[in-house]
Amino acid sequence: MSPTIRNVQQPDVLLELKSFIGGATHSTKPNHFELTKAALNLLKTLPAARDAVLEYFCTVFNVATQNFIVRIETEIATGQLPPATEDDEAIISEIHGVICNFVSSNAEAWAPIISTWSLELLGELSTRYAGRAHVSTSVNETLQLWMSCRATRTLIDITTQCLSSHIHSDTEACINALLDTSVKHSPNFDWVVAHVGSCFPTTVITRVLSCGLKDFCQNKSYEQGSQSPKLKSVVGILGHLAGSHCEDIHTALLDLFNWSLKPLSPGDQEDCKLQKKATVPFLLQLAYLSPTILVAISKDICETLTLSAVTQLCRFIDDWCKYFGSPDALKEIIINLIIKCEIGGVQIINIFLDCILIENVSIANTMKNSIQKCAQEMLEHLLQEIDSLVRAQSQHPNTVINILDSFIREVAELDEILTSTQLKASTAAKIITFIGHNNPSVLVKSCAHLFKNATTSEHLASLVYILTNELLDKTRDPYCEKGGHFAVILHQVVTQAEEMPDGSKEEAYLQLIKNLLILLRWEKK
């Protein structure tokens, strides 16, 4: 049975120091229990020895981890798992208990020091033994492997206690250590990030974004920001947490965005002002690096990017343009991100349309005109880019156009816009033609909705635009066999009218005949 080394009597500090130095430097034959006893006492009583003690503990944990890896490799080779080293278990357990006691009794003093040490040690161990005893390189399986090791499991527990002790106050030092270590040891460190983040998702996500934004403010250009290791670490951490905590990420991103909209006050520190200016470029750059973050930002974007928010953001435009290099460069990255959006495509179109048709907003005419002009240019640019991608898709059928897939999933919203005001209807009609190039059944269904609900010449003009557009393949089966797309649309509308109650049926047929007559008159012209 291994001896217990806790609750020892306080010895003379100099004797403890001499004993520790002799054992740690191997100038005397070390007794590991006595050496650990001396180290723990020095950690508590002699601050000047702290670094040396923690460095010695690194050696202890490394030996224990190495022994664990050898045991696992032996099991893989022979099918039998050797027993754990009793000394390792006892010493690690003792260190764990004492350090956790330090943190719980004085978290403010110990948590930042210990968390930085434990995270760095976890990074070193993860990198040193990467590729050994691994059945898989997936984060989950790597996590399971290391959590079955007493040494690394203990370090993780120490780290989470440090974070937990500051969960409602200042976790910045701990999170900064997490980010810095992630930068240094990724991807071998990813399992640590996954575990710590899952223990405190809200805190970790919020603080990671905060630390990332502060670091981002040091970048002077888009190119510099793109190469930032800490930014990539932020992306990696959020990516690991997205599977189970996507809603938390969405909330944290939204909170950060809304914070940046709050007016600057005379009492704000200069750092705060810089961070508010940098928030949107920071979010754009995160979204550019991570599809997961782009999805989180795109979710319910019309509720986030209201006209009021747009007008408030105008004060930062000049700074953003300087960061990205020019107004055109800023527009280009936004357009590229929109095209990559997997959700919220129709909402984004509506935001542009609302900005073009801006009204009932108390702002200066110059700002109003600027918003309208910018929105008009960007919407036209976006539609042109989608048009080019759709045409290119004919040559490269496997090309994915995310925004187009988003439009298809949200086609019911597009159908509503088709019978709206002229600008909105014509925009929706263009999008329907893009969809119809490879998905004619979706186009036909939308056109049936439009034809059935058309009450103005403008609505019918949109229908004609869609059906005569060159992007629509008129030779495609089964539409060619059935007399063309309009014949199929007419059949759907008549069928739907037949299924209506008698009172509504008559009204539907009257509108149908009226619309047909208008189209026939246009045909004669």
Side-chain angles (χ1 to χ4, degrees), residues 225-295:
S226 298
Q227 302 304 316
S228 167
K230 188 163 282 192
L231 187 73
K232 292 177 181 177
S233 181
V234 170
V235 169
I237 290 171
L238 296 181
H240 287 309
L241 297 175
S244 303
H245 304 285
C246 193
E247 190 58 38
D248 291 319
I249 293 173
H250 170 71
T251 301
L253 292 169
L254 182 59
D255 288 345
L256 182 61
F257 176 77
N258 288 333
W259 169 79
S260 74
L261 293 180
K262 292 179 180 177
L264 296 171
S265 62
D268 283 342
Q269 298 291 325
E270 192 61 32
D271 287 350
C272 178
K273 295 177 183 178
L274 285 174
Q275 287 168 32
K276 286 188 175 182
K277 289 179 183 179
T279 295
V280 168
F282 174 63
L283 295 177
L284 290 175
Q285 205 136 23
L286 286 179
Y288 196 80
L289 292 170
S290 168
T292 301
I293 295 175
L294 179 58
V295 168

Side-chain angles (χ1 to χ4, degrees), residues 269-377:
Q269 298 291 325
E270 192 61 32
D271 287 350
C272 178
K273 295 177 183 178
L274 285 174
Q275 287 168 32
K276 286 188 175 182
K277 289 179 183 179
T279 295
V280 168
F282 174 63
L283 295 177
L284 290 175
Q285 205 136 23
L286 286 179
Y288 196 80
L289 292 170
S290 168
T292 301
I293 295 175
L294 179 58
V295 168
I297 289 174
S298 305
K299 183 182 177 184
D300 300 326
I301 192 168
C302 64
E303 297 177 14
T304 305
L305 203 57
T306 61
L307 281 177
S308 175
V310 170
T311 58
Q312 291 178 70
L313 290 171
C314 285
R315 67 183 188 271
F316 297 137
I317 292 291
D318 289 342
D319 292 296
W320 298 347
C321 291
K322 289 176 185 176
Y323 176 78
F324 286 101
S326 69
D328 288 342
L330 173 58
K331 291 176 184 177
E332 193 66 33
I333 191 171
I334 292 173
I335 294 297
N336 287 336
L337 284 173
I338 291 172
I339 290 171
K340 292 179 181 179
C341 283
E342 299 175 9
I343 62 171
V346 178
Q347 292 185 36
I348 292 169
I349 295 297
N350 274 324
I351 290 170
F352 281 129
L353 291 170
D354 288 343
C355 287
I356 294 169
L357 302 169
I358 189 169
E359 56 186 24
N360 299 326
V361 178
S362 300
I363 55 173
N365 283 334
T366 52
M367 180 182 288
K368 180 179 178 180
N369 293 337
S370 177
I371 290 172
Q372 288 177 318
K373 181 183 177 184
C374 183
Q376 182 74 52
E377 289 175 354

Side-chain angles (χ1 to χ4, degrees), residues 40-200:
L40 288 170
N41 277 308
L42 289 172
L43 188 63
K44 183 176 182 180
T45 59
L46 190 62
R50 182 184 298 149
D51 289 345
V53 169
L54 292 177
E55 185 177 345
Y56 169 69
F57 287 163
C58 287
T59 303
V60 172
F61 278 89
N62 178 57
V63 170
T65 303
Q66 185 178 39
N67 290 340
F68 167 79
I69 291 294
V70 170
R71 289 175 59 233
I72 296 298
E73 289 177 336
T74 301
E75 182 187 27
I76 292 171
T78 66
Q80 294 184 334
L81 180 66
T85 305
E86 198 171 295
D87 287 356
D88 286 349
E89 294 286 320
I91 292 173
I92 294 294
S93 176
E94 192 67 22
I95 294 172
H96 180 211
V98 172
I99 287 181
C100 285
N101 185 53
F102 288 170
V103 173
S104 61
S105 62
N106 190 354
E108 186 176 353
W110 284 104
I113 296 167
I114 296 300
S115 67
T116 301
W117 166 78
S118 61
L119 284 168
E120 178 56 31
L121 180 53
L122 279 166
E124 290 177 1
L125 295 175
S126 299
T127 298
R128 184 174 298 141
Y129 297 105
R132 290 185 59 180
H134 282 234
V135 178
S136 169
T137 56
S138 74
V139 172
N140 286 337
E141 292 195 23
T142 305
L143 175 62
Q144 290 176 17
L145 174 73
W146 286 124
M147 289 302 285
S148 64
C149 170
R150 179 58 187 266
T152 48
R153 186 172 71 249
T154 295
L155 289 170
I156 277 285
D157 188 68
I158 289 171
T159 301
T160 53
Q161 183 174 339
C162 290
L163 274 174
S164 181
S165 65
H166 276 186
I167 200 72
H168 298 301
S169 55
D170 181 20
T171 59
E172 189 157 312
C174 299
I175 296 298
N176 260 322
L178 184 71
L179 278 172
D180 291 339
T181 312
S182 180
V183 168
K184 187 175 180 180
H185 293 287
S186 184
N188 302 313
F189 189 72
D190 290 351
W191 71 275
V192 178
V193 173
H195 181 80
V196 174
S198 64
C199 292
F200 312 101

Side-chain angles (χ1 to χ4, degrees), residues 37 160 166 174 225 277 289 376 379 392 397 427 455 476 479 492 496 511 513-514:
K37 181 198 304 183
T160 53
H166 276 186
C174 299
K277 289 179 183 179
L289 292 170
Q376 182 74 52
L379 179 59
T427 302
T455 56
R476 190 165 182 168
Y479 306 101
Q492 286 190 13
Q496 291 169 12
Q511 187 64 51
I513 293 168
K514 180 181 177 182

